[in-house]
Amino acid sequence: MMCSKRSSISAGSTSPAPQLGTDEGNRFPRRRLVVAMALAAMTLGACSDDDDSNDMGGSDPVIPEGRFAVAMNDGQGPGSVSILAPDIATERSTLATGANQGLTIGADGTLYQNSDAEGSVGMRAFNRAVDRTDMDEFGALDRLVGNSPGKGLATLSGMGLLASCDVSDQAADLKLYSTSAGEQASPVAQVDLPASCWDSTYDAQADRLYLAMTDGTLGIVDAVAELGLLMPAEGDSQVSLGADIIDRMVSVVDADGMQRSVNFHGVAVEDGMVLVSDVGSADSATDGALYVFADDGELNGEQSVDAIEGPATLLGNPVDVLLVEGSAIVAEKSNDAILVFNDVATRAGDVAPDYMRAFTKPESLVQFGDDDGVVDASDLTADSAVSRLLVSQNPTVMQQGGEAVDNSSVGSIRVLDLPLDAAQGEQSVMAGMVSGDPGQEMFRTLESIQLDAAGNGYAVFDTTDGSSVSDRGLLVIDRLDSREGTAVDTMTRDRLLGGASAGLTSPKGVEIAGEQGALIVSDIGNDSVAASLVVLSTSAGSNAMPLFTVMDTGSAAIWDTDYDPQNDRLYAAGTAGDVLVYDDFFAMGASAVPTRSIRAAAAGAVSNIHGIVHDLDSDTLIVTDVGDAASASDGALYVIDDASTASGEITPRAMIAGAATALGNPVDLAFDGAHAYIAEKSNDQVLIYRDVLSLEGEMDVAADESVAVLKPESVVLAR
């Protein structure tokens, strides 16, 4: 008999990937089912591969293709995660996570794993786990999130939350954490359920949360976005909710109305189909079951549905499940296997899995999408819809004779609604950290700010007393695009990224390279430390170490950068007046050097490039030149064609400069595919020039729009 592999999912699928916890079998003696004996007793399609996999249920099994992660939890070691690709039959690598429980994947491709093992309690976030080298370990690229034990783990996509089931805390069975938080994080919200949940999954399209509970019931929460999870009321550190958030409760009963479902563990949802696994008795290796429900928003109460169960199924402790184009993928822990049941909605009774591969103590399953990655908000096109402009500002602060000064506007971010309207445009301020005695305060000054696709902010900061800097790094702000009027750096929602090992001296610009899971930080150095480009992990915390550091920054320093992911090319704003171009930037790593430079022929005697955007669609560079930093009138905006090939002194297609422009120190630039937004620091304005790609020649013209902002430092657009 010939075996074939027919794809049940493409590598680019973005269907929800439910996640889950573990099996209580580690707590009790367990009678092990010997899989080999079961296989020998069955009539099988005798096919195998290098991973001791078996096609079992038919002559044309569907082996799911894609990239998967499977957690191993044997109760002995600290735990690990295997990366399976290009299909579930092939192991690419193993990650030594040091954690042992449920998995989930964030919108940026970060792999999160829960843990309740001794010495590794809490969640761990792994940067670009799918691409890590074999046997790589948890380290400075990664971070901890909170310190509470947990089982199943799920992502509430679009909400920036992680749902963690905690069977050890009867007062808070479900805890929700911010995906931006760090090691000291407490939950954004916690829920006291009617029974402990082992796993959950979120249907983003229906805004519905499913909770698999250990009493054999399935809780369904409708309209999750209306629960107020994203922003606690003013003065509250977290949202506390009770069992009344559950809108529907589902259990399985027999013909006599007696409950059959015993101990739900795994739950998955796909296109209105809900798959739940029941481990039955944790010390039995033969009494597991799968149940399939259809939910159009009305599923509720006692259900009489057929189970997939019995000795042929090999279901003993099915601790986690995935749904992939109608196929069920099962982590079968007691029988050391990953099982696949094709077209699971049509299956019932004692049926053999269509495919099995041996796997020691699988605990949790997730599938990576093909488009995971933090997208830089500067990579906008003309058809991008933007709704807000965020502006960081740093008014000058002076300590005068020990007198107290008002630092409330130092290190703040102003949010402007678009289109700008002087009468109606909403403006709000988020204050930075200020601490210390009057006259001796420590406060943050902000440099560049950037947003990822989820609206999370990355803000470069210094901590200073007005005369010397005591700390520097990045503040990662949860959902910055919607945090109006609130403080940042809250323990529940945000985190500091950096630390002594990050190698930052005087950081200015930050660029998100999502496909690489990286932040490119422009550091101008100081009198004793050379300028550099420091590349950090987007998933790192306060103990970050660079992925690599580039020391060749031309004849001076680099203020900011823009990365072209399609060509692995970095455009860098040089403070000596040149745009430096690094080809094969990530491929070269620490060895990267400028392969060419571009200089505007119209630049004045003093040129100092600060803001920079490369528009990929038109292959155009748009850059700002502050000229002499002491002058409030010599700034300029350049539009340069053919950026991918331009070299040497180039006459810009368009140059905006002169007294009418109000360009003096244009320190940063944002571009929405058509219009340029400029942070003009010396003249306390944000300037907007429209349709800059259509401009030609030298122009001394006022901005199409402007708004007064005291000492704007950086600008970024929010969708």
Side-chain angles (χ1 to χ4, degrees), residues 63 80 87 96 220 269 286 510 626:
I63 300 176
S80 63
D87 55 39
I220 305 174
V269 62
T286 59
V510 60
V626 305

Side-chain angles (χ1 to χ4, degrees), residues 320-604:
D320 198 10
V321 289
L322 279 176
L323 273 173
V324 178
E325 293 191 359
S327 292
I329 307 175
V330 183
E332 170 44 52
K333 188 171 182 180
S334 62
N335 293 313
D336 296 311
I338 297 172
L339 309 176
V340 178
F341 294 86
N342 299 148
D343 300 319
V344 67
T346 67
R347 311 292 290 279
D350 190 10
V351 295
D354 296 277
Y355 175 80
M356 185 204 82
R357 66 161 291 165
F359 194 98
T360 301
K361 297 293 175 263
E363 189 66 63
S364 183
L365 295 156
V366 288
Q367 183 185 16
F368 292 93
D370 191 45
D371 58 351
D372 297 324
V374 186
V375 178
D376 179 1
S378 70
D379 296 330
L380 300 174
T381 59
D383 58 355
S384 299
V386 295
S387 61
R388 292 181 172 185
L389 178 69
L390 280 65
V391 187
S392 67
Q393 54 183 153
N394 286 315
T396 301
V397 175
M398 298 181 63
Q399 305 287 356
Q400 299 177 345
E403 295 293 328
V405 293
D406 181 9
N407 295 328
S408 61
S409 59
V410 176
S412 63
I413 298 173
R414 178 160 292 186
V415 183
L416 308 177
D417 282 349
L418 295 175
L420 292 175
D421 186 316
Q424 299 178 11
E426 183 176 352
Q427 301 183 9
S428 62
V429 173
M430 305 193 323
M433 179 274 291
V434 179
S435 63
D437 297 329
Q440 299 178 336
E441 295 100 333
M442 298 297 294
F443 50 89
R444 286 202 182 104
T445 60
L446 297 182
E447 298 291 343
S448 179
I449 56 173
Q450 193 55 273
L451 293 174
D452 64 26
N456 302 311
Y458 295 79
V460 177
F461 73 87
D462 288 332
T463 301
T464 178
D465 61 2
S467 60
S468 62
V469 174
S470 60
D471 192 18
R472 73 280 295 161
L474 289 96
L475 178 61
V476 184
I477 307 170
D478 180 55
R479 301 181 66 83
L480 173 59
D481 63 344
S482 58
R483 290 275 290 278
E484 290 187 25
T486 68
V488 300
D489 191 18
T490 65
M491 190 171 293
T492 57
R493 303 176 65 80
D494 314 310
R495 76 178 189 275
L496 296 179
L497 191 160
S501 299
L504 298 175
T505 302
S506 185
K508 298 299 180 182
V510 60
E511 167 74 350
I512 301 172
E515 295 79 1
Q516 306 291 339
L519 303 168
I520 305 169
V521 182
S522 304
D523 195 314
I524 64 172
N526 57 29
D527 291 341
S528 58
V529 180
S532 62
L533 293 172
V534 180
V535 182
L536 300 168
S537 162
T538 54
S539 298
S542 58
N543 65 336
M545 291 184 65
L547 297 170
F548 59 90
T549 300
V550 174
M551 299 306 302
D552 192 334
T553 62
S555 59
I558 291 170
W559 193 269
D560 206 357
T561 60
D562 195 11
Y563 179 65
D564 171 5
Q566 291 190 16
N567 300 291
D568 190 20
R569 182 176 293 135
L570 186 70
Y571 296 90
T575 58
D578 299 308
V579 173
L580 306 178
V581 183
Y582 295 80
D583 292 317
D584 303 318
F585 181 75
F586 279 95
M588 295 298 292
S591 300
V593 297
T595 49
R596 55 194 164 92
S597 64
I598 304 168
R599 188 179 187 91

